[in-house]
Amino acid sequence: MSSEFTKILLNEDEMPRQWYNIQADLPVPLPPPLGPDGNPIGPDALAKVFPMNLIEQEMSTERWIDIPQEIQAILKIWRPSPLYRAHRLEAALKTPAKIFYKNEGVSPAGSHKPNTAVAQAWYNKEFGIKHLITETGAGQWGSALAMSCKLVGIDCKVFMVRISFDQKPFRKIMMKTWGADCIASPSTETAVGRRILAAMPDTPGSLAIAISEAIEQAVEHDDTRYALGSVLNHVMLHQTIIGLEARKQLDKVGLYPDIVIGCAGGGSNFAGISFPFICDKIHGREVQVIATEPEACPTLTRGPYVYDNGDEAQMTPLLAMHSLGHGFIPPAIHAGGLRYHGMAPLVSHVKQLGLIEATSLGQTECYEAAMLFAHTEGFIPAPETAHAIAQTIREAKKATEEGKEKVILMNWSGHGLMDLQGYDAFMSGKLSDYALPEELLQRSLLAVKDHPPAPQA
Ligand SMILES: *Cc1c(COP(=O)(O)O)cnc(C)c1O
């Protein structure tokens, strides 16, 4: 095969049969989650929230974990996903860089999220669970889990952040089409939701609030559990199939990336594309790895590394992560999937270890990049994905200046066909940049000032 091909494809029998667990290779182990008393928690502390088979994965330090046959069979509906060479984008940029993008937009729900949604639905069913409850921000996770629960055969209920519930009616319809129940958060169904509505009746909501509502309901019933679409170790694990495939695909054309790029909300698509390459880096290979996020929600670039809760009501254990504070209400930028207050502990940890870099970008640069991508490669990217594209364009321009033929690998995390309002706002000149003001950040961080300090690597 030649690197001049436009698509580098794997056969179904070349799909990875194991996930890669970076915990096996970390030079310093991940700091443990802590309970409310400040001591590390054991598996039982999570037993009402997640099924034990997923809790075992969450804590595992085995390097390779088998993907059950039944999960492989469902993943094969769209996997292995194609790796594209962005010939036309390269030509428009007049760059000597070779740009490759891993197209995760080919899944039925349109993003990388079904890679873990299918696995989580299957492990819950296997454990005897009948109902899964979750939250969703922009709606990508809710729709991925709704589809997966339908394919696997269990019930699904989704608390959707109010602002997206109002702005994104089509995502709601997708969830309903796949048989899920979708409710605006904060809602009057939970104690948390009622408390927040009483204090802030007009709140746009946040992922942290919706997570609190979902967990509150999930722990009330023995046959019900909660599912999270990002942040946790087992989610990062399930997403590594992206990077494992991409490494095989580049290998087929005799290449290895100089730079690997992903956008980061909770960290899962970034971890998915990058962890197999970070494994190589830990073992001596040279590769630059960049996570990119919005200036409006700058978790990795400006959030301190602290122990913080994953949700607003502080029901989750304390996780060592970059955080903007669990009470953070993000501004209403269009990349809804990047508006979480925390960053996956594993992604935060590899940042602490100096294995990755992080950048933050304004939304107008991202939409300009998305437009150029649509004009050259055809596909319309999700606003989240646009961050990875904008960073890729920055790196390609650097390669041009340096006259270097760099190989850049980007995770194309999803399509934007359900996010066209953002494009409309951009094209009619209604979008402006918004960097999180320092005083808002400092106020939000007051919520973590009494938490135990996260260990510095
Ligand atoms: C949810 C989402 C993201 C952000 O979530 P991560 O867990 O950081 O990957 C990015 N891109 C798309 C298309 C998404 O749906």
Side-chain angles (χ1 to χ4, degrees):
M1 249 195 220
S2 141
S3 63
E4 295 311 308
F5 281 14
T6 299
K7 291 192 298 306
I8 304 163
L9 302 172
L10 298 176
N11 292 322
E12 280 185 20
D13 61 5
E14 293 173 293
M15 191 180 84
R17 286 190 275 268
Q18 294 178 311
W19 292 298
Y20 167 63
N21 183 6
I22 199 171
Q23 295 213 59
D25 289 296
L26 291 172
V28 179
L30 191 67
L34 306 179
D37 60 0
N39 291 318
I41 57 162
D44 291 343
L46 298 170
K48 276 177 140 339
V49 182
F50 300 108
M52 201 45 80
N53 48 16
L54 285 177
I55 295 172
E56 279 161 17
Q57 278 188 357
E58 183 66 18
M59 304 197 158
S60 170
T61 52
E62 289 291 310
R63 180 171 290 112
W64 296 102
I65 295 180
D66 289 343
I67 308 177
Q69 286 290 340
E70 296 89 337
I71 294 176
Q72 289 186 37
I74 297 178
L75 294 179
K76 281 177 187 166
I77 295 173
W78 71 94
R79 306 209 71 86
S81 70
L83 181 72
Y84 280 83
R85 172 90 185 267
H87 285 299
R88 289 163 188 80
L89 177 62
E90 288 172 17
L93 295 170
K94 300 190 177 66
T95 177
K98 292 186 166 76
I99 301 175
F100 292 88
Y101 59 102
K102 181 74 168 151
N103 190 345
E104 291 297 309
V106 298
S107 78
S111 76
H112 64 289
K113 291 197 172 75
N115 296 331
T116 184
V118 168
Q120 292 190 48
W122 187 85
Y123 280 108
N124 272 281
K125 167 111 189 237
E126 184 74 1
F127 193 69
I129 299 305
K130 302 276 187 282
H131 312 275
L132 263 183
I133 305 188
T134 196
E135 78 296 325
T136 195
Q140 289 113 323
W141 169 243
S143 47
L145 194 68
M147 176 204 75
S148 303
C149 284
K150 182 54 78 185
L151 293 183
V152 163
I154 62 176
D155 282 351
C156 179
K157 177 169 175 175
V158 183
F159 286 95
M160 185 171 191
V161 176
R162 172 100 246 169
I163 180 167
S164 305
F165 189 89
D166 295 337
Q167 278 184 356
K168 305 204 163 178
F170 290 121
R171 283 279 172 193
K172 247 183 314 196
I173 300 168
M174 283 173 84
M175 288 181 243
K176 279 175 79 176
T177 303
W178 281 311
D181 193 11
C182 180
I183 291 142
S185 164
S187 77
T188 53
E189 283 198 11
T190 65
V192 180
R194 288 188 295 271
R195 167 171 67 75
I196 289 165
L197 283 175
M200 298 181 284
D202 299 325
T203 180
S206 72
L207 268 178
I209 295 170
I211 294 173
S212 294
E213 291 202 273
I215 296 179
E216 181 184 320
Q217 281 203 340
V219 300
E220 280 170 1
H221 305 281
D222 282 347
D223 63 352
T224 304
R225 290 290 185 281
Y226 166 72
L228 188 63
S230 188
V231 181
L232 298 175
N233 304 339
H234 65 270
V235 181
M236 307 298 126
L237 175 79
H238 300 156
Q239 294 293 358
T240 58
I241 194 166
I242 302 172
L244 293 169
E245 283 180 5
R247 197 168 58 181
K248 267 194 187 179
Q249 285 162 312
L250 283 176
D251 199 44
K252 285 209 167 189
V253 295
L255 292 176
Y256 190 87
D258 296 295
I259 309 178
V260 179
I261 296 172
C263 65
S268 73
N269 88 84
F270 168 74
I273 190 97
S274 69
F275 280 7
F277 295 98
I278 294 176
C279 170
D280 297 342
K281 187 166 179 166
I282 291 168
H283 294 104
R285 190 125 201 193
E286 216 174 295
V287 52
Q288 190 184 0
V289 183
I290 309 174
T292 182
E293 62 185 7
E295 280 182 340
C297 191
T299 317
L300 266 176
T301 47
R302 285 172 64 200
Y305 184 59
V306 289
Y307 264 110
D308 196 7
N309 303 95
D311 70 320
E312 203 273 345
Q314 300 184 266
M315 289 194 270
T316 73
L318 289 164
L319 304 173
M321 60 183 178
H322 283 275
S323 176
L324 301 170
H326 56 262
F328 182 68
I329 304 238
I333 53 162
H334 279 276
L338 303 181
R339 304 190 320 137
Y340 185 61
H341 70 276
M343 184 56 61
L346 279 171
V347 172
S348 299
H349 190 62
V350 293
K351 170 92 182 344
Q352 286 294 308
L353 293 172
L355 292 164
I356 66 165
E357 302 157 40
T359 63
S360 70
L361 302 174
Q363 63 179 350
T364 51
E365 178 179 344
C366 295
Y367 273 100
E368 276 159 19
M371 296 292 284
L372 178 61
F373 195 90
H375 293 176
T376 51
E377 296 296 313
F379 294 113
I380 298 179
E384 294 84 0
T385 310
H387 289 70
I389 298 169
Q391 187 65 39
T392 297
I393 292 173
R394 283 189 179 194
E395 299 304 326
K397 286 183 174 163
K398 243 182 259 170
T400 311
E401 282 160 23
E402 295 168 5
K404 286 192 183 147
E405 220 181 84
K406 287 196 176 165
V407 176
I408 305 176
L409 170 66
M410 159 198 10
N411 197 17
W412 205 83
S413 54
H415 69 65
L417 298 179
M418 293 289 142
D419 306 279
L420 293 175
Q421 280 127 326
Y423 281 88
D424 189 39
F426 175 73
M427 286 185 281
S428 40
K430 286 188 205 132
L431 281 194
S432 53
D433 287 327
Y434 172 92
L436 182 67
E438 185 62 24
E439 67 178 61
L440 276 188
L441 172 60
Q442 291 309 327
R443 206 183 311 153
S444 180
L445 287 175
L446 289 177
V448 295
K449 73 177 191 332
D450 298 325
H451 288 184
Q456 301 300 311

